[in-house]
Amino acid sequence: METKIIKIKNIIEDRNKILEAGNLLKQGGLVAFPTETVYGLGGDALDARAADKIYEAKGRPSDNPLIVHIASKEDVKEVAREISPLGDRVMEVFWPGPLTLIFRKQERVPKSTTGGLDTVAVRMPGHLLARELIRAGGGFIAAPSANLSGRPSPTKASHVEEDLNGRVDMILDGGDCEIGLESSILDLSVSPPILLRPGGITQDMIEAVIGPIQVSSQTKETTVAKAPGMKYRHYAPKGELTIVEGEEMQVVSMIVKKVKEVQRQGKKVGILASEETKSFYPKEFVKSVGTRRKEATIANQLFDVLRQFDQEEVDYIYSESFPEGKLGFAIMNRLLKAASHRVIELEKGREGE
Ligand code: TXA
Ligand code: MG
């Protein structure tokens, strides 16, 4: 199929283009669109066939449920039931924004959308264009990240084009995503609520509003999958990624040593570092992902940098690690997944290995 790529500069001047995209959605078509987190691949959430098409376009297993995106808070009741006072409070404070909530589902949401589950994930994005499109498309848009299954989530329209050109009806290019990591996911269908995926809205921020929640052990990593998406290999670059943890200069010398080993094998290598440390590495291999003084910059560029390594067909990537502070927890969660948990831990005061 031919994919229309449409640039949206301004939601008022480009109104007709948004309406055209909305009509495509209403007719069961697929439209990729930007949100404040990552680009989503949208289809009508209440149309089982649209959900099936999404799975097919992404090459995603159909038991991995989709998030239903809405444009106004009241609409949550149309797709979710048994919304507790806790749920009301969380929505009041964090919506619109990068937080997905899981509730028991209403009958009208097809099981294809929820991957066979009795619960539904709902999010009201903060991105204006996203909300306008959702409205134009009928109000309930299922949208996983707009990448091929197993690739890093797209944070630019060009990433979506790379993965999905020819597989979807339209890509709305609304510029780069502001956050760059997917939404936090909070399961409110259980008590106490469980944070299934860390993101821009952190555990502390949620607890300040509704009191103690649990953090899924799978975010800290076990094999049991509660958010079904967690059981698949995710965010994976083509090259083999290893994270090196430890004291700064020890990390640098370990990475430099690994780089030499890879070169000796005649393979291609990449280094993922920060503004503060990039000058310690050979220029031709290193990419800075952002500054350690502002972790939002790292979140913002992480997936893009991983994709750049893919394009350069690097065989091995060595990455510094980042402190697991606020956003840092989400950053390390994605990085560890991308690395399939390959980590070299250097002990303090020792040469390493
Ligand atoms: O920021 C985001 O959340 C982006 C943008 C486009 O909104 N979307 C996104 O969707 O990241 P996706 O499909 O890539 O990730 C959704 C995750 C999956 O891991 C899925 O298993 C989980 O949410 N999920 C969806 N519905 C669920 C449910 N009912 N119960 C548990 N987990 C669910
Ligand atoms: Mg995804």
Side-chain angles (χ1 to χ4, degrees):
M1 99 179 40
E2 211 205 310
T3 301
K4 271 193 174 174
I5 300 172
I6 308 256
K7 217 170 170 77
I8 305 287
K9 292 206 188 84
N10 179 309
I11 56 167
I12 299 175
E13 282 163 28
D14 294 325
R15 180 100 218 119
N16 285 338
K17 298 178 185 165
I18 298 173
L19 291 178
E20 185 192 341
N23 280 335
L24 272 173
L25 288 168
K26 282 182 178 161
Q27 289 156 19
L30 302 187
V31 177
F33 61 98
T35 80
E36 72 277 27
T37 56
V38 301
Y39 269 78
L41 170 55
D44 183 351
L46 305 182
D47 176 353
R49 284 163 311 173
D52 294 340
K53 279 203 221 165
I54 291 178
Y55 291 115
E56 200 186 312
K58 269 181 74 89
R60 172 175 182 157
S62 59
D63 62 345
N64 189 354
L66 309 173
I67 298 173
V68 178
H69 293 66
I70 57 175
S72 46
K73 285 185 198 175
E74 310 83 76
D75 286 347
V76 68
K77 295 193 282 300
E78 306 295 323
V79 286
R81 60 194 171 92
E82 294 173 32
I83 300 170
S84 66
L86 283 193
D88 285 327
R89 239 174 296 153
V90 170
M91 288 186 280
E92 193 51 44
V93 175
F94 297 110
W95 278 7
L99 177 65
T100 295
L101 300 175
I102 294 177
F103 301 103
R104 300 189 59 77
K105 81 171 187 71
Q106 291 282 13
E107 203 55 47
R108 71 160 66 83
V109 184
K111 287 252 169 129
S112 324
T113 299
T114 64
L117 296 176
D118 237 356
T119 52
V120 61
V122 191
R123 171 162 120 77
M124 178 180 174
H127 199 289
L128 259 181
L129 168 56
R131 289 211 302 277
E132 287 305 311
L133 175 70
I134 293 163
R135 255 187 220 114
F140 303 94
I141 302 301
S145 49
N147 52 282
L148 283 176
S149 188
R151 298 218 60 208
S153 291
T155 56
K156 297 169 181 288
S158 61
H159 296 163
V160 181
E161 212 182 315
E162 223 171 86
D163 282 14
L164 298 179
N165 199 5
R167 304 174 75 96
V168 301
D169 298 289
M170 187 182 276
I171 299 172
L172 286 187
D173 176 354
D176 297 355
C177 299
E178 196 182 315
I179 298 176
L181 295 180
E182 308 87 343
S183 61
S184 310
I185 303 181
L186 182 67
D187 189 348
L188 287 169
S189 72
V190 291
S191 176
I194 304 182
L195 186 67
L196 296 177
R197 180 171 74 183
I201 307 291
T202 63
Q203 179 183 4
D204 289 354
M205 290 161 75
I206 297 167
E207 288 186 332
V209 176
I210 58 166
I213 60 168
Q214 286 184 357
V215 177
S216 155
S217 50
Q218 84 211 342
T219 42
K220 299 179 203 136
E221 262 337 283
T222 63
T223 48
V224 196
K226 178 78 201 292
M230 302 297 188
K231 73 183 180 213
Y232 302 103
R233 188 163 173 259
H234 246 189
Y235 320 114
K238 291 174 194 153
E240 184 183 291
L241 170 63
T242 304
I243 301 168
V244 184
E245 259 175 24
E247 205 236 311
E248 185 176 287
M249 287 321 290
Q250 282 189 335
V251 168
V252 169
S253 54
M254 174 55 78
I255 291 180
V256 168
K257 182 175 143 194
K258 288 286 173 191
V259 166
K260 284 186 187 142
E261 275 173 31
V262 172
Q263 283 185 291
R264 248 178 272 134
Q265 294 167 32
K267 303 261 180 178
K268 272 187 101 167
V269 70
I271 303 165
L272 192 151
S274 57
E275 282 305 301
E276 287 77 11
T277 50
K278 65 180 183 194
S279 60
F280 297 132
Y281 302 104
K283 247 209 198 86
E284 61 271 42
F285 305 133
V286 72
K287 292 190 198 306
S288 163
V289 72
T291 168
R292 287 171 179 276
R293 268 174 265 130
K294 205 169 166 209
E295 52 184 6
T297 60
I298 297 172
N300 188 260
Q301 294 169 78
L302 180 64
F303 290 145
D304 184 40
V305 168
L306 290 175
R307 278 177 181 263
Q308 287 175 36
F309 284 129
D310 277 356
Q311 270 188 336
E312 293 170 17
E313 301 189 330
V314 164
D315 301 298
Y316 293 94
I317 307 164
Y318 291 94
S319 174
E320 298 181 344
S321 74
F322 301 92
E324 294 196 8
K326 293 180 172 131
L327 247 186
F329 186 47
I331 292 168
M332 284 310 291
N333 170 269
R334 308 307 195 273
L335 197 57
L336 281 162
K337 269 179 204 284
S340 303
H341 290 265
R342 259 181 310 271
V343 179
I344 300 176
E345 274 179 71
L346 301 172
E347 274 178 55
K348 257 211 162 107
R350 284 182 47 187
E351 262 302 287
E353 276 199 330

